[in-house]
Amino acid sequence: MSSGLLEDASFNQSPAFGDVDLFSADRPLADAAQRAGLDLANLSACGKDYGAATTFDLGRIANENPPRLHLVDGKGNRLDYVEFHPAYHAMMAKSIGHGIHASAHDGSDEPGPVSTRAVRLYLATQAESGHMCPVTMTHACIGALRSEPALLAKWLPRIQTRTYDPRPLPWWEKNGVTLGMGMTERQGGTDVRANITRAVAHGDHVEITGHKWFMSAPMCDAFLVLAQAEGGLTCYLMPRYRPDGSRNQIRFQRLKDKLGNKSNASSEVEFHGAYAERVGAEGAGVRTIIEMVNLTRLDCAIASAAQSRIALSQALNHIRNRSVFQRRLVDQPSMRATVADLALELEAQVALVFRLCRASERAHDDPAEAAYVRLLTPAAKFLVCKSTPQLVYESLECLGGNGYTEDLPLARYFRESPLNAIWEGSGNVMALDVLRAAGRHPDQAMATVSALAKTAAVAFDVRPLTETLAKVLQSGDAERRARFLCEGLAKIAALAALAEAKSDFATLYGDTRLTGAKFAQFGTADLGSAEQALVDRALAA
Ligand SMILES: Cc1cc2nc3c(=O)[nH]c(=O)nc-3n(C[C@H](O)[C@H](O)[C@H](O)COP(=O)(O)OP(=O)(O)OC[C@H]3O[C@@H](n4cnc5c(N)ncnc54)[C@H](O)[C@@H]3O)c2cc1C
């Protein structure tokens, strides 16, 4: 009999969560991958890699040792160098090794390149979120660079390697490079047209003078930057080193002191006539970066679902091992109701984001899928990312007091959880973007909604909601009700994705999320007999 004194091992506590196959243990994810015809064995290996206890440890250490900015050396020479902990570098090497920064653009024959990469992103995020920032930005920048084929051809071979090379060297001397982006200025973030940073032409390049109020991952090898040229707002690629090998005039001011996202550096920066090359036509800056932003927005939704999933996995690990009042928590009815409801939300989110990935894969040849991507990308980002703090918080609470301490990773997950909803377009901006898409191409938008309603119909009649949405959309009140429209659309799409996947939970999702009183807290919905199936499935590992 243990005395409970500190020198004894604890009893009635859950074991550390780790050394799991994050892919195979996650039934909604594995099912989505199977539906998409992905290489399951390969993804399982990736799931084991990110689910290893040693990988979780790297994630913890990278966040406990945030990056430090060295502006100058001890003799006053300008350095502009950000030092990261080796654990961060190890995570970067792992994720670049898995190709998450570029594999969707490889043109490989593997089935579902976007979906395969999305699974890997989903797995990597569970181990550590912060390093995903430069990994996602590199992936997304390739999309924008497509509008400048010669520049892309020059950089792509260095981007597409599976080698992480953090050395501060000119990009052409490196074995692998990463890309970041600088759009947000003090006076204008969402409203990038308010940017005041200026680009002045110098022969085949420009020199940029101004600032960015947020520029994350400042040790990237180049940044896509917006600046005002004579012809208007334009996109540029600004390398860390000038073509003569000297350091570019990129002067960091400070690293942000953030709520979470501690492993990642987010800088304030000035450009003092920094060398840059144009990407896309002059004056077409917004159009050019939209290519990039659509990719980062999808990544935000995938990564937020992953954050909720790792928090739920921690909760499940705890409740299956912890007993209260002589009964395991997982057998306590109100705890089952809570985790089943969380699991239901994730079933829908995973179905939705992977449906979106498949649509992206088909969009080039299929206008209906292209219209789906345009309308649903901001809507999915809105629905998934904005729900993450609540999902993570409820999972955290499943661990009781332990969940609230810094000894376990839940506190870190919670601090990270609002971020994806903010960057790459905050909540209202996503809702307004859905309105914009519907307003520009109303016939396409209506066709997309009709198709969703038809797909969903096998599980649930969404017509009352689609009729309400159509009425609000056509009213003079659409902008004020933008969140209602956006969320309603995203929920219909989530339901349709579940129905298309022949999920046992599609009807339940409709019953609990699309009708009646507004959903308030996880665990309040009556899931009926599906509760057992949801808990079993969530605990499948
Ligand atoms: C950790 C972190 C890292 C970041 N890294 C980068 C980076 O690497 N590069 C980069 O360029 N930026 C970066 N950002 C900036 C980020 O993209 C912006 O903060 C974000 O896009 C919002 O812009 P803003 O802060 O200027 O807010 P604002 O644009 O001022 O928006 C404030 C609020 O108003 C809402 N709003 C805006 N327009 C409307 C409207 N028309 N109607 C109703 N509501 C509206 C928004 O939804 C938001 O809630 C980062 C931010 C964070 C937090």
Side-chain angles (χ1 to χ4, degrees), residues 133 137 180-191 212-217 256 258 260-261 264 266 419 422-430 432 479 483:
C133 173
M137 289 197 294
M181 56 179 84
M183 294 182 271
T184 311
E185 300 187 3
R186 284 186 202 97
Q187 74 290 344
T190 303
D191 184 7
K212 295 293 163 185
W213 183 231
F214 282 90
M215 196 169 84
S216 289
K256 300 280 190 192
K258 298 173 287 185
N261 195 248
N264 181 32
S266 300
L419 180 54
I422 296 172
W423 59 14
E424 309 307 327
S426 312
N428 290 347
V429 177
M430 290 302 90
L432 294 173
E479 187 168 338
R483 281 187 175 220

Side-chain angles (χ1 to χ4, degrees), residues 136-154:
T136 277
M137 289 197 294
T138 304
H139 156 74
C141 286
I142 299 174
L145 285 173
R146 288 201 192 292
S147 54
E148 206 58 49
L151 200 55
L152 180 65
K154 214 162 63 166

Side-chain angles (χ1 to χ4, degrees), residues 28 63 212 284 309 359 371 390 428 438 503 537:
N63 282 279
K212 295 293 163 185
R309 173 68 216 189
Q390 196 181 3
N428 290 347
S503 165
R537 190 169 153 80

Side-chain angles (χ1 to χ4, degrees), residues 281-293:
E282 190 168 298
V286 173
R287 203 175 343 125
T288 307
I289 59 157
I290 284 297
E291 290 303 314
M292 173 178 78
V293 165

Side-chain angles (χ1 to χ4, degrees), residues 476-519:
D477 210 18
E479 187 168 338
R480 189 179 69 83
R481 306 296 316 281
R483 281 187 175 220
F484 169 73
L485 290 164
C486 178
E487 186 175 276
L489 172 69
K491 284 181 174 175
I492 291 170
L495 176 57
L498 286 169
E500 205 175 334
K502 301 188 173 38
S503 165
D504 294 338
F505 310 113
T507 305
L508 183 67
Y509 183 80
D511 282 340
T512 55
R513 270 58 172 172
L514 271 74
T515 54
K518 191 188 167 318
F519 163 74

Side-chain angles (χ1 to χ4, degrees), residues 10 21 48 67 127 149 207 236 263 267 290 336 385 406 413 416 496:
S10 290
D21 175 351
K48 286 182 188 137
E207 291 190 353
Y236 297 95
S263 66
S267 72
I290 284 297
R336 294 178 73 79
C385 300
E406 294 293 346
Y413 302 159
E416 186 80 19

